[in-house]
Amino acid sequence: MATLLVKLRHTPPDELEEIHALMEAHEINVYETTAGNWGISQPALWLSQDEQLAEAKFLLKQYEEERFTRKRSEYETLRKEGKARTFLDMARENPVRYIAYLVMIAALVYISVVPFLALSS
């Protein structure tokens, strides 16, 4: 019977490729399910053989630790060089979205605060 190995929602494509390569290198049979046409199903990676679960989880844990340290060091290097992506960079890339978010936040704050201000007068 198939066993859930890892859920893949919000998994970057490069990480998914690395996980597949890791499993293939250790001859662990896995298959992937997608979110479906409407995106409501759970994308996941499944083990075909239950007896490989302990080995697969151990390999994934090692991989996650290694990836975390690698990506963290890449980020720190970019930050020190001044090339790390910041909030202002994202706002400059798509100013319309940034302004729309600010308008929505202001509207929510206004709707939340107005009833209390009406009570105080």
Side-chain angles (χ1 to χ4, degrees), residues 67-79:
R67 181 176 170 89
F68 174 78
T69 55
R70 181 170 33 103
K71 291 296 182 177
R72 179 52 110 179
S73 66
E74 288 174 12
Y75 170 75
E76 289 299 328
T77 303
L78 287 174
R79 192 178 60 78

Side-chain angles (χ1 to χ4, degrees), residues 39-82:
I40 57 174
S41 297
Q42 178 65 50
L45 201 62
W46 299 80
L47 276 175
S48 300
Q49 301 168 352
D50 293 339
E51 55 273 358
Q52 294 178 323
L53 181 62
E55 180 185 3
K57 286 198 178 232
F58 178 74
L59 290 170
L60 271 178
K61 184 175 182 186
Q62 282 184 326
Y63 166 74
E64 288 171 356
E65 291 170 358
E66 181 270 328
R67 181 176 170 89
F68 174 78
T69 55
R70 181 170 33 103
K71 291 296 182 177
R72 179 52 110 179
S73 66
E74 288 174 12
Y75 170 75
E76 289 299 328
T77 303
L78 287 174
R79 192 178 60 78
K80 287 177 184 173
E81 294 173 355

